Amino acid sequence: MTLQLIRELVARYPLFLRKLRARTEYEWRWQFLCEDGWFDLLDTACIGIESECRYALEKQGQSIPNLPYFAGAMRTHWELVLKVRNSTENSRCVTEIVRSAAHSICERCGAHTSDYSVRRSSFCEDCTQRRSDGR
């Protein structure tokens, strides 16, 4: 994922991405091992988990070290895997929804595609062709 998109996520979700903020921008790229097409999925997941963090902090009086936090996002076997530490039932549900949604979204361009079990790839047909052509 491009550094610009990662910066957007870090700026929008300071509680959920708090451990990432402590690292250098160079290290950020190693925490997002997927391409730009899945940005919207990651953004949606971060909204849900950031909201949970804010609620737990403000309404339930939990301390920041006990809140869920981001530990990485990657493509594994054509799926988007979002790693969350200190996870809760809500954050586990959010990560499962994102994993399932990634099956029908191209990792490179974000276009809706046929199910990955048919394609055996995280890319749509156009991006797969461009990739094989070297573009």
Side-chain angles (χ1 to χ4, degrees):
M1 185 170 290
T2 63
L3 190 54
Q4 178 183 356
L5 292 176
I6 297 170
R7 280 186 193 126
E8 282 183 44
L9 291 173
V10 170
R12 288 182 196 170
Y13 310 108
L15 288 175
F16 179 52
L17 299 175
R18 66 187 177 278
K19 300 272 185 176
L20 190 63
R21 293 174 68 105
R23 297 179 176 202
T24 66
E25 285 189 359
Y26 175 78
E27 293 174 301
W28 290 359
R29 290 185 185 212
W30 298 108
Q31 298 298 311
F32 290 88
L33 299 175
C34 57
E35 295 198 38
D36 295 351
W38 283 346
F39 173 81
D40 288 338
L41 289 174
L42 288 169
D43 188 45
T44 301
C46 289
I47 288 170
I49 300 173
E50 179 79 9
S51 298
E52 175 187 2
C53 290
R54 289 187 186 284
Y55 179 80
L57 194 62
E58 295 169 4
K59 302 291 185 192
Q60 297 177 338
Q62 288 188 13
S63 63
I64 288 180
N66 296 330
L67 300 177
Y69 65 91
F70 176 82
M74 67 178 69
R75 175 185 8 96
T76 304
H77 301 292
W78 311 291
E79 295 181 332
L80 175 58
V81 176
L82 180 61
K83 296 184 200 173
V84 178
R85 300 289 184 255
N86 291 349
S87 66
T88 62
E89 184 177 338
N90 177 68
S91 60
R92 286 188 292 276
C93 287
V94 168
T95 59
E96 182 59 29
I97 290 167
V98 167
R99 185 190 66 75
S100 296
H103 292 175
S104 60
I105 296 177
C106 176
E107 180 184 357
R108 180 173 277 176
C109 70
H112 289 280
T113 63
S114 60
D115 189 62
Y116 82 102
S117 62
V118 175
R119 296 180 288 122
R120 290 286 192 220
S121 170
S122 60
F123 301 109
C124 65
E125 291 177 20
D126 290 340
C127 288
T128 301
Q129 185 62 42
R130 277 187 232 127
R131 194 172 182 190
S132 65
D133 291 346
R135 292 184 277 159

